[in-house]
Amino acid sequence: MGGVSHEAINQLKALMDKVDEPLKRTFQNVHQGYKVETLERFLKARDGNVARAHKMLLDSLHWRLENGIDDILSKPIVPTNFYKGVRDSQLIGVSGYTREGLPVFAIGVGLSTFDKASVQYYVQSHIQINEYRDRVILPAAAKKNGRYIGKCVKILDMSGLKLSALNQIKLLTAISTIDDLNYPEKTITYYIVNVPYVFSACWKVVKPLLHERTKLKVQVLKGCGCDELLKIMDYSALPHFCRREGSRPSRRGSNTADQDCFSLDHPFHQQLYNYMKKQSGICDTTRLLKHGSVHVEMPLEDPKKAEFCKALASEWKRFQKQEDHTWLHDIKISD
């Protein structure tokens, strides 16, 4: 089972069979009928240690109950124009599927500003996309391909990355910690593209701080990554920022709505938003006033992640002393 023994899975399964009904119900939303594969994910996240994986899974299920995660897809961010602001400043989307049927998530790291709403709205939106991925996208992909599909590919666009991104490091750390603790082993590979030199320098500093399992998942590609990515997906599945070498597109650029997977008009976001409105019974969000965000308890700071962020911030701030580093954005690397 991918490095996790059958014995460990059976032991964890026996422990989970003993939990009370509320935990069993929320666990069903997590495993979506693939219980063994889900147990394997949590075991991998804890290096095969049954006791630690059991604690991690129980903590995650309690987090779901305490924060109403099972119902979060019935709580769309409204009105639509406010949600559009969230989408325009938290750039993420699905551009297509790999040839093996894995969904391709595109993330605009460099151009995400997180300045149109409060932190809680961005956390809420992130979790909603996670839940939609796990409850809708991945089960549909598994059904279409006739086999279990429980992971995705992520392509991170560093176009426009600036030193000011450090201002969002606490938010991004909180979001990544939520993922680490509650959605482990959901990404098979992280491809990093359109990389400026400043990122290259920082990457060399923080890479040694990453878990070996995580380092093996990260690939820093040359330029927009088109050539490498076409080895695993068709051109139509490439995100818009990977479609031509040296491109530095704006958030909307000259692409049509169905090409720009960050746009609220893209089919992925339209399907997601319509799904949430249907789940909530809302027919016309334009008539609603903006309601408060869903409050999700933020995780405690991980000491290892804090060390990672400190090293990143220290290395990155070295470049603030340079009066002009616009030339750096034209340099590309491969790793």
Side-chain angles (χ1 to χ4, degrees):
M1 299 296 292
V4 176
S5 70
H6 287 282
E7 181 182 1
I9 291 173
N10 288 335
Q11 288 176 6
L12 183 55
K13 182 178 182 297
L15 290 171
M16 293 307 299
D17 287 341
K18 297 177 182 178
V19 302
D20 58 26
E21 284 304 315
L23 291 179
K24 285 182 179 178
R25 284 195 295 271
T26 193
F27 187 39
Q28 289 175 350
N29 272 331
V30 174
H31 66 65
Q32 293 291 312
Y34 294 98
K35 183 182 290 187
V36 170
E37 290 83 357
T38 300
L39 296 176
E40 182 184 8
R41 287 196 296 107
F42 279 84
L43 281 163
K44 280 186 176 180
R46 290 298 177 262
D47 300 317
N49 185 299
V50 175
R52 292 174 61 217
H54 181 231
K55 182 182 184 305
M56 179 186 185
L57 183 48
L58 285 182
D59 288 346
S60 177
L61 296 181
H62 282 295
W63 171 81
R64 294 180 66 88
L65 290 178
E66 292 165 3
N67 291 282
I69 304 301
D70 290 338
D71 298 322
I72 202 165
L73 287 177
S74 64
K75 299 176 180 178
I77 296 173
V78 293
T80 303
N81 61 351
F82 179 74
Y83 183 60
K84 185 178 185 300
V86 174
R87 290 276 55 83
D88 287 346
S89 54
Q90 183 184 36
L91 303 181
I92 184 171
V94 174
S95 61
Y97 294 81
T98 68
R99 295 192 188 98
E100 293 185 348
L102 278 64
V104 178
F105 277 80
I107 302 173
V109 177
L111 293 172
S112 291
T113 55
F114 301 100
D115 60 353
K116 303 297 183 183
S118 68
V119 168
Q120 284 295 336
Y121 280 109
Y122 291 114
V123 172
Q124 176 183 344
S125 174
H126 179 81
I127 293 173
Q128 286 173 330
I129 290 176
N130 278 356
E131 292 291 312
Y132 187 72
R133 174 198 65 198
D134 293 351
R135 296 194 223 174
V136 178
I137 293 178
L138 291 174
K143 183 177 180 180
K144 179 180 180 180
N145 289 273
R147 62 181 177 82
Y148 172 68
I149 293 180
K151 296 189 178 186
C152 65
V153 165
K154 290 184 178 178
I155 304 176
L156 281 59
D157 179 26
M158 296 296 168
S159 298
L161 193 65
K162 298 178 181 178
L163 294 171
S164 58
L166 287 173
N167 297 331
Q168 307 300 336
I169 200 163
K170 288 187 177 180
L171 168 60
L172 297 176
T173 301
I175 286 176
S176 68
T177 301
I178 287 173
D179 284 354
D180 291 345
L181 296 179
N182 303 288
Y183 304 94
E185 298 295 321
K186 298 300 295 187
T187 303
I188 193 168
T189 308
Y190 297 88
Y191 295 101
I192 304 179
V193 302
N194 295 325
V195 177
Y197 177 75
V198 63
F199 174 84
S200 170
C202 294
W203 175 243
K204 291 177 182 177
V205 172
V206 302
K207 187 176 181 180
L209 301 176
L210 296 175
H211 192 287
E212 191 63 31
R213 185 176 61 250
T214 302
K215 282 191 284 187
L216 292 174
K217 292 181 181 180
V218 178
Q219 294 189 33
V220 182
L221 304 183
K222 182 178 180 180
C224 67
C226 181
D227 292 341
E228 288 298 315
L229 293 171
L230 285 176
K231 295 177 181 178
I232 64 168
M233 68 185 72
D234 294 336
Y235 187 84
S236 61
L238 288 175
H240 55 283
F241 51 78
C242 293
R243 294 195 173 193
R244 62 182 183 276
E245 187 67 30
S247 63
R248 291 292 184 271
S250 65
R251 275 174 230 151
R252 290 297 166 261
S254 59
N255 299 284
T256 59
D258 63 338
Q259 291 177 318
D260 183 353
C261 60
F262 297 151
S263 170
L264 182 57
D265 294 325
H266 187 273
F268 164 71
H269 283 298
Q270 284 295 299
Q271 291 163 11
L272 167 61
Y273 201 47
N274 287 334
Y275 179 90
M276 291 192 290
K277 289 191 288 184
K278 183 177 180 180
Q279 293 296 308
S280 69
I282 295 175
C283 296
D284 183 5
T285 56
T286 61
R287 298 182 179 180
L288 296 178
L289 296 175
K290 182 173 69 176
H291 61 58
S293 61
V294 174
H295 181 80
V296 176
E297 183 179 351
M298 295 291 199
L300 295 174
E301 186 174 56
D302 184 339
K304 291 184 178 180
K305 193 158 289 186
E307 180 185 2
F308 175 95
C309 294
K310 184 178 180 181
L312 175 61
S314 176
E315 182 65 16
W316 206 334
K317 285 178 179 177
R318 282 201 314 111
F319 291 90
Q320 287 181 320
K321 297 178 181 180
Q322 299 181 17
E323 293 182 356
D324 183 11
H325 47 79
T326 55
W327 59 274
L328 299 175
H329 295 285
D330 294 323
I331 299 178
K332 307 177 185 66
I333 67 164
S334 60
D335 190 353

